[in-house]
Amino acid sequence: MSDPVIESMAEVRGHLADVIDRARREETPTIITRRGKQEAVVIDIQEYQRLRRIAEDAEEAWLNGLADEAESEGVEGAVSLEAMAAMLRTEQG
């Protein structure tokens, strides 16, 4: 993946198709700014899906670690892995 290009929202409006093509063909992300603040990034869909899988795998590993820790401490007051995941997603959402 190439270093990102940084462009303002106004610049991107004028050539969004080019920004998308650059992300897809050249694997170059574009960071979009608004009033000088970084607001969003355009990346290729395959890269997005890869990053999602990594995040989901990391979350699952973390939850499994918590479950293993809870199991080693005993069962009193413990919750299932599924219940723990639901609680964490509710807090994040």
Side-chain angles (χ1 to χ4, degrees):
M1 180 179 289
S2 302
D3 288 337
V5 173
I6 300 174
E7 295 187 38
S8 70
M9 182 84 73
E11 292 170 323
V12 170
R13 273 192 203 112
H15 68 108
L16 181 58
D18 294 333
V19 170
I20 294 169
D21 288 342
R22 181 172 53 212
R24 192 180 75 241
R25 291 188 191 137
E26 300 171 25
E27 298 180 354
T28 302
T30 299
I31 297 172
I32 301 171
T33 63
R34 185 178 355 193
R35 296 183 197 98
K37 182 181 174 194
Q38 295 182 352
E39 294 283 336
V41 64
V42 176
I43 59 174
D44 177 65
I45 189 67
Q46 290 177 341
E47 179 66 6
Y48 169 77
Q49 291 167 341
R50 184 184 75 80
L51 293 171
R52 264 309 277 257
R53 281 191 303 274
I54 290 169
E56 288 169 0
D57 291 348
E59 180 182 36
E60 184 175 338
W62 179 69
L63 290 172
N64 285 334
L66 287 177
D68 291 345
E69 183 179 319
E71 185 177 314
S72 70
E73 292 176 0
V75 294
E76 188 175 326
V79 296
S80 71
L81 179 59
E82 292 81 13
M84 187 183 306
M87 289 187 304
L88 289 169
R89 286 191 181 97
T90 300
E91 288 179 14
Q92 292 175 354

